[in-house]
Amino acid sequence: MAAQLSRYEEIIIQTLREYADMFNQQKDGLEAKVIVDREGGHYQLLNMGWRKNDYQFYVIFHFDIKDGKVWLQENRTDVLIAKELVEKGISQNDIVLGLQYPELRAATGYAEA
């Protein structure tokens, strides 16, 4: 189980770094940063900086690893990021769409919790 979760963690971090690189190529005044808390099991991609006269700071993606599952807690894009994680090797049965209303998770095809 520990080896599997370590592999899941690396897939998440790699994916977040790929998106950070893509967002940082946009040269729109914002900087995408990957935040990793291995001890707490939290992984984020956030955007921050100045766009014209407006300061921006927001989470693009947020994942947690808890109770042996990958929890997708935030997705501020139209990217089907859970599907991408499955394609990269994370079992669909080990992904919980935490951002989805709990009573509706059974219909998603992903883990309920």
Side-chain angles (χ1 to χ4, degrees):
M1 180 70 128
Q4 176 176 296
L5 292 180
S6 179
R7 192 173 112 253
Y8 286 0
E9 179 182 65
E10 291 309 314
I11 291 170
I12 291 167
I13 293 169
Q14 172 194 354
T15 302
L16 293 176
R17 287 182 178 151
E18 290 168 3
Y19 276 97
D21 290 344
M22 182 182 68
F23 285 120
N24 285 329
Q25 291 176 9
Q26 294 179 1
K27 307 292 185 207
D28 60 357
L30 300 180
E31 181 181 3
K33 294 186 177 203
V34 175
I35 308 297
V36 175
D37 171 12
R38 290 180 190 266
E39 184 178 316
H42 310 291
Y43 312 87
Q44 291 185 339
L45 175 63
L46 59 88
N47 245 354
M48 61 184 290
W50 287 92
R51 182 180 286 151
K52 298 186 182 180
N53 294 330
D54 188 32
Y55 183 73
Q56 306 273 319
F57 185 94
Y58 57 90
V59 174
I60 300 169
F61 296 120
H62 178 105
F63 298 96
D64 290 325
I65 295 180
K66 62 181 183 178
D67 301 324
K69 306 243 187 241
V70 173
W71 286 70
L72 173 57
Q73 305 288 22
E74 180 70 81
N75 179 357
R76 295 189 67 181
T77 72
D78 58 357
V79 171
L80 300 175
I81 195 71
K83 182 179 177 190
E84 284 189 31
L85 295 181
V86 170
E87 291 167 357
K88 291 180 177 185
I90 297 179
S91 171
Q92 190 165 327
N93 295 326
D94 288 339
I95 297 175
V96 178
L97 302 181
L99 49 74
Q100 180 69 49
Y101 190 67
E103 282 74 17
L104 299 177
R105 289 184 194 149
T108 66
Y110 293 92
E112 293 182 51

